Amino acid sequence: MNKNLLYPIFCLLLLCCWTTGQTQDGSSLPSREDADAKAKVQFNGLGRTILNNTSIDGALLDTDTTTARRLSDGEFLLDVAINAQPNDNTEVQGILRIRNEFGGFFGAGVTVEVRELWARGLIANTVRYRVGDFDHVMTPYTLFLADEEGTVNEPEVFRPQKDVIDYEQFYTDNNSRRLQGAKLDFGLAFPMILREMKAEGFVARIRPTDFFTTPNRFVGGGTLDFSTRSLRDSVGLQADFGLNLSSVWDDLKTGAVTSGITNQVISLDFTVHLFENKQIKIQALGEVGQSLIELSEEQPGDPPLFTPSQKVTFTKDDTFLEAGVAVDLKASKLRLSATYLDVGPDFFSIAAQSKRVAFNRNKTFYNRIGNDRGLRMPTLFDLGRDRALYNFQLSENLMTYDPRYANVMPYGKATANRTGLQFGAVYGDDSSIFDAELGVALLKEIRGQGTFELKDFLQVRLAANVYLNKMLDWDKTTKITLGLQQEQTNRDGVEVEQVDLSSTLLEIGLEAELFNRFDLLLGAKMLSAEGRDYIPSIDAFNNIEDFPAAFVADDQETMIGAGLRYRFKDDVYLTIQFQQFSLERALDPTNDYDLQQVFAQYVMKF
């Protein structure tokens, strides 16, 4: 370990020991007996310390005289959440952040900012509202944040750094997006046929105006979800369905702008419970809808009465359909599903197709390497730790992607120009000694890109967890994790049209509790990609502008990690880890390189 890290890690250990001496009850939160139920103001939050040392080596560095071989970075951070309840129907919260970069002393490099601010409450005991920051999710085609590339079932050894990314980018487990604006919801109950209706609406500003050429941009919409009473008790026939509207638009009245876009997606989603008894449950489920994108321009002068002030100069629309059936075999703890998918080539949804990873962003470390200062492409190593690559904002253009990580559905289910079948199987529950989830997609292009030939896609994803402690009746947690993704893209035709790109991502992890709250963490991630494809250049309205040179890959990425973690309490832990990454490019071995990092991370939630 680098000597520069020994002193701060030693100080970090002293801080952890002090925290342990304060509380040993296994929880960072006060018990119900100790908490004051009538408290109007409460304080909680998160503290985090990261100390990291990263080094680079390999064939690329043999002739490199400009790149630093070792970098150190880190941060000390405290988020304090102040939650107040002025009355029984109102709640407000703000999070104040204090942050200092590693190496800053006597206040140098300290920043203070407001991370979050919101208020929520209940109107007339009927309508709930929230203003300020909020998380929102609808359906995979209307408003949704699809999972990032480079992971299927993340080994626990790589989770601490990924958890930092999730926290900083406001990612949640339900694929919601962080927005700033207002939302409200309410429900109605019905005496017959319909059981209840839930209504939800929201509006948020996603881009501020510069008062000149950039207008305010908003996203808004809502859902109406209906649930019926049992239509036939003997078979358990019952239906849930919903109407969804997601809209993104520019306000041309802000600034001196002359044109702006409007993107609307409307859909109907449904789940029909066809049959259910003690052994089996059968459901039909899906979603159908349409997207519309328009470019509007302000008309010069004062338009005549009853004439719109804006003129539509460009418009494009398309549809999507997802329909399938799911069968739950209750006794076998098994769920099977089959789905038909058809997403039109011109389908466009800003609020659903915007990705988490922005591959064209600058990285925070070793962004350029080599004497020629070449731009280093993102790797598994970067996807696992570099917050600068991640994004929660909405993009009006289809974001770039790396076909080595995701070429079948780079924008999730909302990926346009796809049709075919998807199959799924899920096994296990809380009592199982292992659980697994398998997904298979057999898809095809609807419209060729630059040719009449169509691409065929195959994707296989498997995530499994084996609980050795349950299998061997141990008291301490011992778990093996496995993640696998295989993708294949093919296209026939003459030689210049042919496509043959395959990739495999494998993840293996071990989490073993050696002593009480003291864990051994091991893991590995391996990516191999070989073949070629054509990735088109896309213009502002998602039309294909050009096809650059073929994307050709023969790459091997390997990342291994090992570390120790001590959980002082349920929400407080310290981990010290070593990670090794290597990139091998058979087509250009002179640019192979290795990355190593040693880091300590202390997290405290209170």
Side-chain angles (χ1 to χ4, degrees), residues 96-362:
L96 182 67
R97 164 166 290 190
I98 305 173
R99 181 178 180 273
N100 189 20
E101 290 280 354
F102 174 54
F105 295 97
F106 307 110
V110 174
T111 59
V112 180
E113 61 184 30
V114 177
R115 170 176 165 84
E116 181 179 271
L117 190 62
W118 54 261
R120 66 182 178 184
L122 188 64
I123 302 173
N125 291 324
T126 302
V127 179
R128 293 182 298 182
Y129 71 89
R130 176 161 171 161
V131 294
D133 300 313
F134 64 91
D135 297 321
H136 197 64
V137 62
M138 294 172 64
T139 72
Y141 303 94
T142 52
L143 180 71
F144 198 78
L145 184 60
D147 294 337
E148 70 271 24
E149 298 92 330
T151 182
V152 179
N153 189 18
E154 192 84 72
E156 189 66 22
V157 70
F158 303 124
R159 280 305 323 173
Q161 289 184 310
K162 214 53 170 300
D163 287 341
V164 172
I165 294 174
D166 292 347
Y167 179 79
E168 292 300 312
Q169 299 296 337
F170 303 100
Y171 295 158
T172 64
D173 293 335
N174 67 343
N175 300 100
S176 63
R177 289 191 175 276
R178 172 54 61 102
L179 301 171
Q180 187 178 66
K183 71 174 182 177
L184 57 84
D185 65 89
F186 63 91
L188 297 175
F190 299 92
M192 54 188 302
I193 303 179
L194 290 178
R195 185 179 63 197
E196 63 179 358
M197 183 272 289
K198 295 180 180 179
E200 194 171 51
F202 73 99
V203 63
R205 188 177 73 167
I206 56 176
R207 186 185 67 185
T209 179
D210 62 359
F211 301 104
F212 291 100
T213 59
T214 302
N216 278 325
R217 178 167 291 170
F218 296 89
V219 60
T223 60
L224 291 175
D225 289 325
F226 299 89
S227 180
T228 69
R229 296 181 181 276
S230 180
L231 302 177
R232 181 177 291 182
D233 293 334
S234 61
V235 296
L237 181 62
Q238 186 260 333
D240 301 321
F241 59 95
L243 297 173
N244 311 283
L245 172 65
S246 173
S247 180
V248 176
W249 72 94
D250 290 334
D251 181 6
L252 299 186
K253 301 300 182 182
T254 54
V257 295
T258 59
S259 64
I261 65 169
T262 300
N263 177 219
Q264 294 180 345
V265 182
I266 186 170
S267 76
L268 168 68
D269 68 281
F270 59 90
T271 301
V272 181
H273 305 271
L274 300 173
F275 179 82
E276 183 173 9
N277 58 25
K278 294 182 179 180
Q279 288 78 35
I280 190 171
K281 180 170 70 173
I282 303 175
Q283 297 173 309
L285 63 165
E287 186 175 1
V288 59
Q290 183 177 33
S291 72
L292 171 68
I293 183 169
E294 293 181 339
L295 173 66
S296 301
E297 295 184 357
E298 285 282 357
Q299 297 191 50
D302 296 325
L305 192 63
F306 305 117
T307 301
S309 62
Q310 300 174 11
K311 179 182 179 181
V312 177
T313 59
F314 173 86
T315 183
K316 182 187 291 185
D317 64 90
D318 214 327
T319 61
F320 72 89
L321 168 66
E322 179 184 356
V325 61
V327 179
D328 287 313
L329 304 175
K330 298 180 181 181
S332 302
K333 306 176 185 179
L334 182 64
R335 178 181 175 88
L336 303 174
S337 63
T339 305
Y340 171 73
L341 185 70
D342 188 290
V343 184
D346 292 323
F347 174 78
F348 183 56
S349 175
I350 290 176
Q353 292 174 336
S354 298
K355 296 166 55 64
R356 297 193 189 206
V357 180
F359 283 93
N360 56 352
R361 284 188 178 179
N362 290 333

Side-chain angles (χ1 to χ4, degrees), residues 447-462:
R447 184 172 67 200
Q449 293 185 330
T451 173
F452 291 110
E453 296 287 343
L454 303 177
K455 293 180 183 178
D456 293 301
F457 302 96
L458 169 64
Q459 182 190 75
V460 179
R461 286 173 64 92
L462 172 65

Side-chain angles (χ1 to χ4, degrees), residues 522-565:
L522 300 174
K525 302 180 73 165
M526 292 155 280
L527 172 74
S528 62
E530 183 178 6
R532 77 170 188 171
D533 195 359
Y534 292 93
I535 310 302
S537 297
I538 306 294
D539 69 7
F541 297 103
N542 301 319
N543 293 315
I544 295 177
E545 279 187 328
D546 190 18
F547 287 92
F551 175 88
V552 181
D554 190 358
D555 301 350
Q556 298 281 340
E557 293 185 21
T558 304
M559 186 164 76
I560 59 174
L564 299 173
R565 179 182 63 188

Side-chain angles (χ1 to χ4, degrees), residues 17-85:
C17 293
W18 179 86
T19 304
T20 307
Q22 299 301 304
T23 307
Q24 294 288 347
D25 62 356
S27 173
S28 66
L29 300 176
S31 65
R32 292 183 179 271
E33 292 76 15
D34 296 334
D36 182 4
K38 297 182 179 180
K40 295 298 183 181
V41 179
Q42 298 182 6
F43 295 88
N44 54 68
L46 175 140
R48 183 174 69 226
T49 298
I50 301 176
L51 303 172
N52 187 72
N53 186 280
T54 307
S55 59
I56 189 169
D57 201 356
L60 178 61
L61 281 297
D62 290 342
T63 58
D64 184 359
T65 59
T66 61
T67 301
R69 299 305 194 266
R70 192 180 300 275
L71 298 174
S72 296
D73 65 313
E75 65 178 357
F76 304 89
L77 178 146
L78 178 64
D79 284 348
V80 179
I82 306 171
N83 184 282
Q85 299 181 23

